[in-house]
Amino acid sequence: MGKQGTSRNPRPESQNEGMLGMKDYQIRCSENFCGNNPSIGRRLSGEDVNSSLKNVSVHGLKHDFSKLCASKGSYGGKRNFWLQKHVRSILFMIGVIGFVFLVDSLTVSLVNLIIHWNSPPPRKSSSIKVDIGPNVHKEKSPIQMYDRLVHLASSSLAEIEFKPEKSSLWREPYLQASAWVPCADGKVGSDLAGKFGKTNGYIVVSANGGLNQQRVAICNAVALTSLLNATLVIPRFLYSNVWKDPSQFGDIYQEDYFINTLKDDVHIVKELPSYLKSVDLEEIGSQITDEDIAKEAKPTDYISTVLPLLLQNGVVHFLGFGNRLGFDPIPFNLQKLRCKCNFHALKFVHKIQQVGSLLVKRVRKYDAAKSMLDKQLLGNFIDYAPSKEDKVFVGPTKYLALHLRFEVDMVAYSLCDFGGGEDEKKELQAYREVHFPLLIERLKKSKAISSTELRISGRCPLTPEEAGLVLAGLGFKHRTYIYLAGSQIYGGNSRMRTFTDLYPNLVTKETLLTPSELEPFQNFSSQLAALDFIACASADVFAMTDSGSQLSSLVSGFRTYYGGGNAPTLRPNKKRLAAILSENKTIGWNTFEDRVRKMIEEGQRVQTRGFGRSIYRQPRCPECMCKRSQ
């Protein structure tokens, strides 16, 4: 590197000097040819410079000069002849070069037109929200952990951009998926005597967590109410300092629809009778916390411990009720009732359906429903036939929804290294000390596990960079539209830079909706999560980065139940992916693609629900779905 203000390459300078020297030489020659310096004539005629001859023939000098002029004229004639001979070739080459530049210009214009045509209308800044914890406010430099693979991915996406897209990307890879159809909407029935006789009492549930944890708690409460032959009071939601959302059941779900859908199976009321409203349930011993009931307890546990209390006091209050009913062993009817609750009874309120339909319509640029998923999620807020304008176009734009779990709490709790250097490590440690004091204490008493060991064992959240590499490895094109759920990405735009370089058509609810459309949902995190639920469940493809997430589990189950075998879900195996990415410095792109595809296809195999597995996530079982012969 040269100093500022000096030339890096001395060649242009020496060339200029040569040009000046040539001009000077030509000027001197022209002057000498005018007779000012006879010695030049002697040099040209072959005479010796030091010759002492005084009598020089003027005729000889003129003769030599005329020979020189004749020679120059001959050269000029030859040059003109050459130009005349090759003028067509020169013009042809100029025409070819001009044509190439014209085609290139038209191609660039066409690409820009396509991107502009497919881009959603700009609403406001598309920057990703930053959620990086306390005392951290500055934007960071872009972070890349896999520079070489990212470069290979970029080259591959550029190469396939104008090639025909693989249709297999947008459908289930296994035909058996379409053999399973929904069938949990009928009357469940009960083996319990006196089912519709006198109730054993009232069950009150105050569910904790966010939208998806609460949804699970509601359906578990429905099954438990049937088991205990009780009456369920519409569940309430606890206010959390984490979620900071005062929303209640009726702010998210349609209460009357919920009650009517389950009326033949469970008795449900909106509130306790007046004589129980003033009773202090904790004081009379009817309050049951999560400490009183084991996680994923069996039905027999409730019959032995809760039923006597219910019969004694006429009411029990479950406080928290997070995952307090196991999935097996459970009587067939109770399992089916869970499915009926989750897939049929819980409908979002009209406000959420209406705005959710705007999200789906805008990302698709299409007004009509595409599948049963749309009808179940959006109700009457989506048309069942395309408008005249939609019919003019080929069809709706396909989009992929991505639930990217890279929030600061998850990143900090994982104890993994994400390539951000010492500053990032200090930030995450400070966050852990404030938000996870029990984790800090446990770490002091246990043997430390290296970040490398954590990553190899599949315990590190996928970064946006890793998620982008997976999508590129599968063959999704550069212009693919991607809906990002959540948007609270640790590190903000600096973390998302690599992803958006690979996939720039990234949208969120904040970019698809206007401020006035979003305003009624501000400060209501569960209602905002409901919009993400709709956009993810309705997507042509849904991709998750953490299979343990409740949103990802419930969305994938909903797509399995109503998707008809046409709603693929991508579940990267973090352990297998870590093994692939560990070869970042040597692996070829074709090998990377093959291994990523095999990993994803393995997770898409059609399997019936295994023992103890969540029925909300894996509804392919006789209690939820029916298998038809093909």
Side-chain angles (χ1 to χ4, degrees):
M1 296 292 288
K3 294 182 180 180
Q4 188 174 2
T6 63
S7 173
R8 298 184 183 181
N9 187 352
R11 286 193 170 193
E13 201 170 315
S14 62
Q15 287 173 353
N16 290 338
E17 290 174 358
M19 292 293 289
L20 290 172
M22 182 63 71
K23 289 179 180 178
D24 183 58
Y25 175 78
Q26 290 172 345
I27 292 170
R28 289 199 300 269
C29 285
S30 61
E31 290 173 349
N32 292 331
F33 281 134
C34 294
N36 293 334
N37 188 353
S39 67
I40 298 299
R42 289 196 294 272
R43 283 200 295 269
L44 289 172
S45 62
E47 300 284 348
D48 189 281
V49 175
N50 297 319
S51 176
S52 60
L53 295 176
K54 296 181 179 179
N55 296 321
V56 180
S57 172
V58 175
H59 174 75
L61 181 60
K62 287 183 178 180
H63 176 70
D64 289 344
F65 181 73
S66 64
K67 285 172 62 178
L68 177 64
C69 292
S71 174
K72 289 175 66 179
S74 173
Y75 172 77
K78 289 180 180 180
R79 182 177 60 185
N80 292 337
F81 176 76
W82 186 90
L83 288 173
Q84 291 174 0
K85 182 178 179 180
H86 295 282
V87 67
R88 291 183 179 179
S89 299
I90 294 171
L91 291 175
F92 176 75
M93 290 302 298
I94 293 173
V96 169
I97 294 171
F99 178 75
V100 170
F101 276 109
L102 177 63
V103 171
D104 181 68
S105 178
L106 289 174
T107 303
V108 173
S109 300
L110 179 61
V111 172
N112 290 334
L113 180 63
I114 292 171
I115 292 173
H116 176 75
W117 182 262
N118 288 327
S119 298
R123 303 270 168 199
K124 58 182 181 177
S125 173
S126 60
S127 60
I128 308 302
K129 289 184 180 179
V130 180
D131 182 12
I132 54 177
N135 303 321
V136 183
H137 300 289
K138 56 184 180 179
E139 187 75 6
K140 304 170 185 172
S141 300
I143 299 170
Q144 267 191 8
M145 299 174 67
Y146 310 98
D147 295 10
R148 178 178 170 273
L149 269 180
V150 170
H151 176 72
L152 293 176
S154 299
S155 299
S156 175
L157 292 180
E159 183 180 339
I160 68 172
E161 185 64 16
F162 293 102
K163 292 182 179 180
E165 190 167 51
K166 298 176 183 178
S167 58
S168 58
L169 286 173
W170 302 95
R171 65 171 185 243
E172 295 267 11
Y174 300 102
L175 295 176
Q176 304 96 309
S178 60
W180 290 88
V181 295
C183 64
D185 54 337
K187 182 178 178 180
V188 173
S190 176
D191 296 330
L192 297 175
K195 170 69 184 173
F196 297 103
K198 183 180 178 182
T199 179
N200 288 332
Y202 293 88
I203 290 181
V204 179
V205 173
S206 296
N208 59 12
L211 173 76
N212 303 293
Q213 292 87 346
Q214 292 164 351
R215 188 181 184 104
V216 170
I218 292 167
C219 294
N220 285 347
V222 167
L224 183 60
T225 300
S226 176
L227 173 69
L228 300 178
N229 191 27
T231 297
L232 177 65
V233 179
I234 288 281
R236 293 190 58 79
F237 300 151
L238 293 174
Y239 181 85
S240 167
N241 289 328
V242 175
W243 302 104
K244 297 180 180 179
D245 185 355
S247 298
Q248 290 301 321
F249 189 102
D251 298 314
I252 300 172
Y253 302 110
Q254 300 177 34
E255 288 186 345
D256 291 337
Y257 187 91
F258 176 73
I259 293 171
N260 291 332
T261 302
L262 297 172
K263 66 181 180 181
D264 293 332
D265 307 297
V266 178
H267 187 217
I268 303 174
V269 296
K270 293 187 178 181
E271 55 185 18
L272 282 170
S274 56
Y275 70 90
L276 287 175
K277 286 183 179 180
S278 59
V279 175
D280 187 332
L281 301 182
E282 183 178 7
E283 186 175 336
I284 65 173
S286 282
Q287 180 167 290
I288 300 173
T289 68
D290 285 353
E291 293 181 358
D292 302 318
I293 295 289
K295 190 175 182 180
E296 298 187 358
K298 299 177 181 178
T300 51
D301 297 331
Y302 286 95
I303 291 174
S304 61
T305 60
V306 176
L307 183 58
L309 192 61
L310 179 65
L311 292 171
Q312 176 183 326
N313 296 330
V315 60
V316 291
H317 177 207
F318 290 99
L319 184 64
F321 204 56
N323 296 320
R324 285 308 183 267
L325 182 62
F327 290 103
D328 291 294
I330 293 282
F332 183 94
N333 286 340
L334 294 185
Q335 206 74 286
K336 187 171 184 178
L337 191 55
R338 275 172 151 174
C339 287
K340 186 175 182 178
C341 170
N342 184 52
F343 298 115
H344 294 277
L346 290 175
K347 298 284 187 185
F348 292 122
V349 294
H350 291 165
K351 178 181 78 170
I352 293 174
Q353 286 184 331
Q354 182 179 20
V355 178
S357 71
L358 294 178
L359 281 177
V360 174
K361 290 175 183 177
R362 285 174 184 168
V363 72
R364 285 182 183 162
K365 302 175 195 59
Y366 197 75
D367 288 340
K370 285 184 57 180
S371 66
M372 191 186 298
L373 280 165
D374 293 341
K375 298 173 184 177
Q376 292 296 325
L377 290 163
L378 304 172
N380 295 327
F381 291 96
I382 192 163
D383 299 327
Y384 289 84
S387 65
K388 292 181 180 179
E389 291 181 358
D390 286 336
K391 289 180 180 178
V392 174
F393 300 104
V394 176
T397 299
K398 293 178 180 178
Y399 77 97
L400 178 147
L402 173 64
H403 187 211
L404 186 55
R405 291 298 312 277
F406 202 70
E407 299 91 346
V408 62
D409 56 341
M410 191 169 186
V411 171
Y413 197 85
S414 72
L415 303 176
C416 297
D417 181 11
F418 298 98
E422 289 300 318
D423 288 344
E424 183 177 87
K425 291 178 182 179
K426 291 177 182 178
E427 285 177 9
L428 296 177
Q429 179 62 19
Y431 188 92
R432 281 189 286 268
E433 290 173 355
V434 173
H435 297 275
F436 304 124
L438 294 180
L439 173 64
I440 296 296
E441 290 300 317
R442 191 170 77 243
L443 290 174
K444 291 178 181 178
K445 300 176 183 178
S446 60
K447 182 181 178 181
I449 303 176
S450 71
S451 178
T452 302
E453 290 177 300
L454 291 171
R455 190 170 297 281
I456 291 174
S457 62
R459 293 161 63 180
C460 295
L462 295 193
T463 66
E465 179 186 6
E466 291 168 335
L469 287 172
V470 170
L471 296 182
L474 291 172
F476 285 98
K477 293 193 172 183
H478 178 70
R479 64 176 181 265
T480 301
Y481 280 89
I482 298 178
Y483 178 91
L484 181 63
S487 302
Q488 299 291 332
I489 304 301
Y490 170 69
N493 291 333
S494 62
R495 270 290 174 188
M496 290 298 298
R497 185 74 54 81
T498 300
F499 187 95
T500 52
D501 284 346
L502 295 173
Y503 294 101
N505 289 334
L506 188 70
V507 295
T508 67
K509 54 184 174 292
E510 289 82 9
T511 60
L512 289 170
L513 300 174
T514 64
S516 60
E517 290 165 343
L518 267 176
E519 196 277 330
F521 300 93
Q522 298 298 343
N523 303 318
F524 299 102
S525 61
S526 291
Q527 295 179 43
L528 288 170
L531 296 178
D532 280 337
F533 187 102
I534 289 172
C536 290
S538 295
D540 296 277
V541 173
F542 172 60
M544 64 177 76
T545 60
D546 178 32
S547 58
S549 159
Q550 283 281 22
L551 173 65
S552 294
S553 295
L554 291 175
V555 166
S556 63
F558 211 87
R559 290 168 62 81
T560 297
Y561 191 81
Y562 283 116
N566 297 305
T569 295
L570 313 180
R571 300 181 182 89
N573 182 308
K574 289 191 288 186
K575 187 174 182 178
R576 288 180 63 177
L577 182 60
I580 297 171
L581 292 173
S582 68
E583 301 176 30
N584 165 51
K585 295 182 179 179
T586 57
I587 192 170
W589 183 251
N590 290 338
T591 303
F592 179 82
E593 287 180 318
D594 290 340
R595 292 175 66 179
V596 166
R597 285 170 188 160
K598 288 177 182 177
M599 173 190 69
I600 294 296
E601 287 177 3
E602 184 68 28
Q604 292 178 312
R605 291 188 180 277
V606 178
Q607 299 174 337
T608 56
R609 185 182 72 90
F611 185 87
R613 307 296 291 179
S614 169
I615 206 161
Y616 307 120
R617 176 181 174 178
Q618 299 178 354
R620 288 192 186 108
C621 60
E623 299 94 326
C624 279
M625 303 181 74
C626 299
K627 189 175 183 181
R628 60 189 178 189
S629 57
Q630 289 184 309

